[in-house]
Amino acid sequence: MIDFLTKTGLNKIYDINEFNQKNIILRDGRNATLWVSKKDGHGILDPKYWEATDFYTEDYRNQFSANLNSYTSPDDHINIYKKINKRQFNQFKDKVSKSTKFLEIGSSFGGIIRQIDKLEIKRCDALEPNVQDATFLRSKLKNTNVINSFFEKNDFKVKYDLVVSFAVLEHVFNLKSFYSYFSFCKIYK
């Protein structure tokens, strides 16, 4: 039972006694266990039900697309999310200048990074574990270094001025290691 807190890096934040076990059914029909915090309602799927890392690198885009019942092409995906990506970009665009070193974690098909790529800043990196998404990004972006990998598997030597990530935390395996990288960052609200 303690294993799920250790694997997520939350063993120093939560006490095991703060959780209730809840039986759930996953989308694929399998029975699973969700550990639910009594204090805040945060649920953590038991690690034995986590997807293998190759799911995100290879199979994720085939199962999860903008259209629930069918595959969505990269260009269609960008058009569907154009408005929301623009709103996301507007949240931080005033922090970007020609001297900015920028990293986006979980770039997907590039709805946000494409806007940064056009600015020709000092350094622009996109981190995307899905092979199909990373290949598409490389074909479309001329000023961006696309890193096809998981965040946890990188030893970043660059000190970025601005790091953004949208809709990614639910895919992070160890929140403690993810957050520790950003301990030196200024948080903009």
Side-chain angles (χ1 to χ4, degrees):
M1 184 160 117
I2 294 175
D3 193 45
F4 79 93
L5 288 177
T6 303
K7 282 194 169 187
T8 56
L10 296 172
N11 55 323
K12 302 290 187 201
I13 298 170
Y14 286 106
D15 181 273
I16 192 66
N17 296 315
E18 296 176 16
F19 284 85
N20 287 324
Q21 181 178 351
K22 180 178 179 180
N23 295 322
I24 62 169
I25 299 174
L26 298 175
R27 280 181 261 195
D28 63 7
R30 291 181 295 153
N31 292 321
T33 302
L34 184 70
W35 298 100
V36 181
S37 169
K38 298 173 192 175
K39 183 169 59 173
D40 59 22
H42 180 97
I44 301 171
L45 185 64
D46 193 287
K48 68 182 171 187
Y49 303 103
W50 290 358
E51 295 290 351
T53 56
D54 62 347
F55 171 78
Y56 285 110
T57 58
E58 298 169 18
D59 300 324
Y60 178 76
R61 190 55 61 208
N62 294 328
Q63 291 188 30
F64 297 99
S65 230
N67 295 316
L68 293 177
N69 297 320
S70 64
Y71 172 78
T72 306
S73 74
D75 288 316
D76 286 345
H77 190 275
I78 287 170
N79 287 329
I80 290 167
Y81 288 102
K82 188 179 281 186
K83 287 182 183 177
I84 192 168
N85 290 152
K86 187 66 173 170
R87 286 195 307 265
Q88 291 166 328
F89 175 70
N90 287 340
Q91 291 179 36
F92 64 86
K93 72 178 181 183
D94 62 320
K95 310 287 189 267
V96 180
S97 69
K98 291 287 183 189
S99 64
T100 298
K101 291 181 275 182
F102 179 88
L103 171 66
E104 181 182 15
I105 300 171
S107 299
S108 184
F109 286 123
I112 295 169
I113 200 75
R114 288 165 64 114
Q115 297 172 72
I116 297 293
D117 186 74
K118 295 174 189 173
L119 300 176
E120 298 182 12
I121 62 175
K122 183 173 185 175
R123 183 177 182 116
C124 185
D125 291 346
L127 181 70
E128 175 51 54
N130 183 266
V131 173
Q132 181 182 354
D133 292 355
T135 301
F136 178 77
L137 291 173
R138 286 187 182 114
S139 74
K140 298 291 183 181
L141 305 174
K142 64 177 184 172
N143 299 308
T144 299
N145 174 41
V146 178
I147 306 162
N148 182 212
S149 177
F150 283 96
F151 176 83
E152 296 88 350
K153 294 184 178 182
N154 282 277
D155 182 21
F156 292 101
K157 304 285 188 226
V158 176
K159 294 291 184 189
Y160 294 97
D161 302 305
L162 186 58
V163 178
V164 300
S165 183
F166 293 93
V168 169
L169 288 180
E170 66 272 23
H171 303 287
V172 173
F173 293 108
N174 188 309
L175 293 172
K176 183 178 179 183
S177 69
F178 186 79
Y179 285 131
S180 69
Y181 174 78
F182 301 105
S183 62
F184 67 89
C185 295
K186 178 180 178 180
I187 305 297
Y188 294 104
K189 295 181 181 180

